[in-house]
Amino acid sequence: MVTITLIKDPDHTQRQLFDDWAGVLAADGRHQFGPDHTAHSADELREMSHSTDRRRVTWAAVDPQGTVVGAAALVMPQHDNRSQGLLIVIVHPDHRRRGVGTALLEHVESAAHDHGRTVLLAETQWPVGVRDESGEHFAARHGYAGAQTVLRSSLSLPADRRRLDAVLTADDADGYLVRTCWDGIPEAWLAGRAELSRRMSTDIPTGDLQLEEERWDVERVRADYERIAAMGRRVIDAFALHEESGELVGYTQVQVPQAHPEVAFQQDTLVLREHRGHGLGLRMKAAGTVALMEGSPATTSVRTWNADDNAPMLAVNHALGFVHDGMMREWQKVVAP
Ligand SMILES: CC(C)(COP(=O)(O)OP(=O)(O)OC[C@H]1O[C@@H](n2cnc3c(N)ncnc32)[C@H](O)[C@@H]1OP(=O)(O)O)[C@@H](O)C(=O)NCCC(=O)NCCS
């Protein structure tokens, strides 16, 4: 039926195979969301395959005619959560319901077992207003349980500048400063940023997902910025600083792919628990949005994903003008070692 081929050398000998593999992800994105999809480009994915943060093992399902009809990967965190494995299983929309998905899933699950990964995670996505026609049935049939539901929202740019300025000049966050940086942060902030990333793994809603606290240090933060730059992305961080202690107490990040700057991606947003209630989430996001509008005029939309029970974050997004336009579900299956 299909041959499942390991892609070990996405840069050279298997470059075309890897491009076709990435093409399956893009075809699935177009099938679900039309031109508005968010699949990574082949070059971004190639760069991600070099990550020291999360090891990725990649397979292509190739039919007897030599066409890549399915794409799979096992993504394994390296610093923490070492029993976790994120499974990617996607079949080209023209080749579904012929057992390719099941064959790929069994292959990746077996690899996860060999790597000692027992908390298996997977994601499905669909646009607002339609049903997920395939992923939900497939995941449930293979023993995965829905562990978290996530809303995708988008903000059209340029956003209402008066609304943003009103947020930034409000006086309800006395004692705090908000600062933005493009493409990296001052050396002196790396340790504070590492602590924020650690807290990002403990201080946000995680549904039924079995996630461990993440381990972050200055080196990991540096490597993260290097990885983002190597992916061809520019990055804006907005930080909240507590004036009295000088500590970083919140951050939010937006990444802009330089090859396609039209859509930017809002990444982590966190205000430490002990500094919540001062409107810092809204101020940081407003500051990041202003910096984005000024520094990347080609960007016409920012996209973000938030847990459906994260009411404070959703309220911030709503206040800025984000509109809910997609859904994502995180699935989980815990297997015996
Ligand atoms: C989910 C997906 C991988 C399935 O690939 P596939 O090659 O069509 O899967 P299979 O042919 O092996 O189907 C296995 C079973 O999944 C279920 N299933 C798959 N698609 C379905 C659909 N559209 N409606 C209902 N059940 C479906 C059925 O139980 C099916 O068995 P059956 O055909 O005997 O009824 C594919 O639809 C896809 O790429 N979707 C988008 C990405 C995604 O959601 N990945 C899954 C992450 S868990």
Side-chain angles (χ1 to χ4, degrees), residues 28 89-91 96-99 101-102 133-134 137-138 141:
D28 173 57
V89 174
I90 300 182
V91 176
R96 293 186 177 169
R97 301 306 284 273
R98 296 176 203 161
T102 301
E133 56 181 40
S134 56
H137 290 279
F138 182 79
R141 173 168 169 166

Side-chain angles (χ1 to χ4, degrees), residues 121-286:
L121 307 177
E123 294 172 359
T124 55
Q125 296 195 59
W126 64 99
V128 163
V130 302
R131 282 170 50 107
D132 176 17
E133 56 181 40
S134 56
E136 301 250 322
H137 290 279
F138 182 79
R141 173 168 169 166
H142 289 96
Y144 288 74
Q148 191 172 44
T149 303
V150 174
L151 309 185
R152 185 185 100 169
S153 311
S154 301
L155 173 68
S156 290
L157 296 183
D160 182 345
R161 185 67 195 248
R162 271 179 311 176
R163 188 183 334 192
L164 295 170
D165 287 341
V167 169
L168 292 172
T169 52
D171 59 3
D172 59 351
D174 280 351
Y176 296 91
L177 297 172
V178 171
R179 292 284 177 267
T180 56
C181 323
W182 274 95
D183 302 322
I185 62 174
E187 201 57 27
W189 287 2
L190 291 173
R193 173 68 164 74
E195 175 62 8
L196 288 172
S197 287
R198 180 184 76 79
R199 294 282 296 269
M200 183 75 201
S201 71
T202 58
D203 286 18
I204 61 164
T206 51
D208 295 330
L209 292 165
Q210 291 190 18
L211 304 178
E212 287 172 10
E213 179 177 315
E214 294 185 6
R215 290 193 192 155
W216 282 85
D217 57 18
V218 165
E219 279 316 309
R220 187 173 175 189
V221 174
R222 251 196 220 107
D224 205 42
Y225 282 103
E226 284 166 12
R227 183 184 54 79
I228 296 165
M231 281 174 71
R233 292 181 164 209
R234 297 202 64 198
V235 52
I236 307 165
D237 288 296
F239 288 100
L241 283 122
H242 184 229
E243 284 186 287
E244 194 184 313
S245 63
E247 280 173 20
L248 298 182
V249 299
Y251 77 117
T252 185
Q253 185 175 89
V254 176
Q255 296 178 9
V256 188
Q258 288 308 280
H260 296 285
E262 307 79 36
V263 180
F265 296 93
Q266 176 85 58
Q267 309 285 334
D268 296 353
T269 299
L270 177 75
V271 177
L272 297 181
R273 283 188 202 287
E274 51 275 30
H275 295 278
R276 291 182 186 167
H278 300 285
L280 292 174
L282 184 60
R283 276 184 63 179
M284 291 190 307
K285 271 199 149 178

